[in-house]
Amino acid sequence: MPADELRIAVPPGATGLDAEARGLDALLNRLCYRRLARYAQATGPTGELVADPPHLVPELAEGWRVLDGGRRVVVTLRPGVRSAAGNELTAEDVVWSWRRAIALRDVGKWVARIGSIWDPEAVSAPARYEVEFRPRAANPSLLQQLTRATPAIIDSVEARRHASGEDPWASGWLAGHAAGFGAYRLESLTPWSEAVLVAGDGPQPAFGRVRVLFVPGASRRRELLLAGEVDLLPRIDPRERALLDGARGVRVSHAPSGAHLMLMMNCRRPPFDRREVRQAVCYAVPYERILEEVYLGSAWPWRGPLASTTPMASEAGWPYRHDPARARELLEGAGHGEGLSTALFFGASSEAHRRAAGIVAESLAAVGIEIALEPMDGATFWAGARYHRAYPMLLYESMHQVPDPYYALVHDYYPGPMGLINCGQYESDEVARLVDAIEGEPEPAARERLVHRAERRIVADAPNAQLAQPAFLAALRDDLDGFSWAPDGVPQAELLSRRPA
């Protein structure tokens, strides 16, 4: 293997490059598109390098100024940055990219709104290398949204060459072509085979070439890693960790993540419209058993509405533990002393979710809640959970890609479409008012008080049983240096290097 070539093995799948389109390959997007900022690094509890929120370092940006108490943020771009097409990054590229994301009404629009940018005209270019954001509130979350894959910063000069009246944002072309200012440019892409990328014209990473191999079968990917034919498996599961731990020439990286597995209950449908029933479910779940039997120790307990990686998250006052007697008492008080029955839906493609569903069903049956397990194909389950929200109970795993309390509270508990993963349709006027106040509160101590008030209300209402926080898991050759975990879990290849033999 060439010393300056990094090889990454991943399962075959979508190979789209546009962050605003279905079928995105997050790894390819990360390689080809730099962000305005990224998180500073710190050593995490497992000894791995992890994000250090909310501390940011510039990437495409050179710096930023927060003005007018947070109602204006001016980002200064690094001059001389060029795209794969050779065009220089300017503020107009950033403005076009953000307005594109808002116009296309997908994840980028949601990200912009989490940063309090609701009006596309609130992003402007007062100077060639200056971008001005004018959020509707003094929201500290705005700067953290600059770390996201979307709105991707696109070479608007090149993209506009491929736009048309029917496709003014060049979505058709950008789905299969990279027009970013990334550390790498795409040289070739063969679905189900490989993608080859070479370093761009900016600061040169240690690896001048990246080869992404699309390899069916986890066992074959492990063989390639053990043989030294690939450097990195960016995502492995707990059972693979057990197989690779201690293997010669390989190390397994694990660290806390913003991933979280929830047992969601539909708060608008009987019997889960009764808070006591939801609380009973939370007491009936055997959390430690799920951590041990499903995740084999590769997950952390989750004792609060917010993931433990979120600043200001608190476990204070968390009452729920495996207590079948308390669960039966609550069911009796809710008029279900004779028991009840319902269905639990989950995505059939996940072995972890299948095993967790079986444990949950067994434990709920022990307190008088009979569960019919309903495994579903991934696409149908996802659409039903995210958009139709018709399931009485569901297992849902999500990822917080921004470790920020406002982001997390909106993401999981806000009503309406802004509540992206509020699949159980939880609605609390008090929580909504608190979240609205958090959006516009820049003072950290006051913000934290509001966050804790919202947490206490959510804990009492028990919309979900918080089952586990699965760890980030990757396997890599032990001569690879600089590996770190970004909140989205996507490898930052430009930070990696190979230690000399």
Side-chain angles (χ1 to χ4, degrees):
M1 186 188 305
D4 73 337
E5 181 175 275
L6 176 70
R7 293 189 179 183
I8 305 173
V10 297
T15 54
L17 296 165
D18 185 359
E20 291 304 325
R22 300 285 185 241
L24 171 70
D25 184 298
L27 173 57
L28 295 181
N29 177 273
R30 179 83 183 206
L31 291 164
C32 295
Y33 289 88
R34 277 198 176 99
R35 291 93 187 273
L36 290 171
R38 61 178 173 83
Y39 287 96
Q41 295 177 338
T43 302
T46 62
E48 301 289 341
L49 289 174
V50 297
D52 183 22
H55 303 118
L56 304 176
V57 294
E59 199 164 274
L60 289 176
E62 195 172 64
W64 44 79
R65 306 188 306 279
V66 178
L67 308 171
D68 297 341
R71 296 303 297 268
R72 291 172 58 223
V73 175
V74 177
V75 175
T76 303
L77 302 178
R78 188 181 304 156
V81 177
R82 296 198 175 272
S83 72
N87 298 312
E88 187 186 23
L89 171 69
T90 71
E92 289 296 337
D93 295 309
V94 179
V95 171
W96 188 86
S97 298
W98 273 68
R99 291 181 179 179
R100 175 182 189 267
I102 293 170
L104 292 178
R105 304 173 64 83
D106 208 275
V107 178
K109 179 180 180 180
W110 185 87
V111 169
R113 288 184 169 186
I114 286 290
S116 297
I117 300 296
W118 286 65
D119 181 353
E121 299 299 319
V123 186
S124 61
R128 181 174 178 82
Y129 300 117
E130 284 194 350
V131 184
E132 183 172 314
F133 295 89
R134 297 184 304 281
R136 71 173 189 177
N139 185 355
S141 300
L142 171 58
L143 283 173
Q144 295 196 62
Q145 306 315 312
L146 306 185
T147 69
R148 301 294 306 276
T150 176
I153 307 306
I154 296 167
D155 175 356
S156 62
V157 174
E158 179 64 15
R160 282 169 162 154
R161 291 181 56 240
H162 304 278
S164 67
E166 295 75 31
D167 185 11
W169 299 107
S171 297
W173 184 78
L174 286 168
H177 300 82
F181 299 89
Y184 295 91
R185 60 178 176 82
L186 186 65
E187 184 175 84
S188 65
L189 173 60
T190 307
W192 280 78
S193 179
E194 67 174 18
V196 178
L197 302 101
V198 295
D201 296 330
Q204 291 299 290
F207 289 106
R209 189 177 185 86
V210 176
R211 190 180 297 271
V212 180
L213 305 176
F214 303 114
V215 181
S219 61
R220 178 57 181 154
R221 294 192 293 274
R222 291 195 301 273
E223 289 172 4
L224 292 171
L225 180 71
L226 292 168
E229 295 181 38
V230 301
D231 297 292
L232 173 63
L233 308 183
R235 282 291 179 92
I236 61 173
D237 65 33
R239 295 184 182 278
E240 289 182 284
R241 177 188 179 183
L243 293 170
L244 290 168
D245 258 335
R248 183 179 177 84
V250 169
R251 76 176 185 89
V252 173
S253 173
H254 77 289
S257 79
H260 46 293
L261 180 65
M262 296 175 278
L263 174 61
M264 294 183 168
M265 294 162 274
N266 194 319
C267 298
R268 293 189 180 182
R269 291 179 56 173
F272 302 116
D273 56 343
R274 293 287 302 274
R275 181 170 65 178
E276 296 84 357
V277 175
R278 301 194 300 268
Q279 291 173 336
V281 169
C282 291
Y283 279 111
V285 171
Y287 302 97
E288 293 300 325
R289 186 180 166 197
I290 290 172
L291 294 174
E292 293 169 7
E293 295 182 20
V294 176
Y295 291 102
L296 309 178
S298 292
W300 277 262
W302 186 12
R303 302 190 182 103
L306 307 181
S308 63
T309 51
T310 307
M312 302 182 186
S314 173
E315 295 183 3
W318 184 253
Y320 304 114
R321 62 197 182 280
H322 184 44
D323 187 345
R326 179 62 176 143
R328 284 189 288 268
E329 179 184 324
L330 284 161
L331 288 172
E332 179 78 33
H336 293 288
E338 299 300 315
L340 59 91
S341 61
T342 188
L344 172 57
F345 291 76
F346 59 94
S349 61
S350 170
E351 179 62 24
H353 295 181
R354 182 182 290 275
R355 291 170 62 82
I359 291 171
V360 167
E362 178 185 326
S363 302
L364 293 187
V367 301
I369 303 176
E370 295 297 327
I371 298 292
L373 293 177
E374 296 285 355
M376 300 183 70
D377 73 89
T380 304
F381 172 74
W382 185 85
R386 289 282 293 271
Y387 299 119
H388 301 290
R389 303 185 174 184
Y391 307 134
M393 297 183 81
L394 67 155
L395 278 182
Y396 199 97
E397 183 172 334
S398 186
M399 168 79 81
H400 287 165
Q401 297 190 23
V402 174
D404 173 80
Y406 176 69
Y407 167 100
L409 288 167
V410 174
H411 190 270
D412 290 356
Y413 303 107
Y414 204 76
M418 283 298 287
L420 206 61
I421 308 299
N422 187 1
C423 304
Q425 303 189 80
Y426 170 65
E427 192 163 348
S428 162
D429 290 343
E430 180 185 356
V431 170
R433 285 194 300 270
L434 288 166
V435 173
D436 290 343
I438 292 165
E439 178 187 11
E441 179 50 75
E443 202 279 313
R447 200 170 196 241
E448 186 165 8
R449 287 192 294 272
L450 293 168
V451 169
H452 292 338
R453 285 176 59 191
E455 287 180 305
R456 288 193 294 270
R457 179 72 270 161
I458 294 165
V459 168
D461 288 343
N464 314 313
Q466 323 286 55
L467 301 184
Q469 293 182 121
F472 280 140
L473 287 174
L476 54 150
R477 298 297 301 180
D478 61 7
D479 63 350
L480 203 63
D481 284 339
F483 185 80
S484 61
W485 287 107
D488 61 7
V490 182
Q492 302 169 91
E494 69 276 14
L495 304 181
L496 298 175
S497 63
R498 196 186 308 283
R499 199 164 53 252

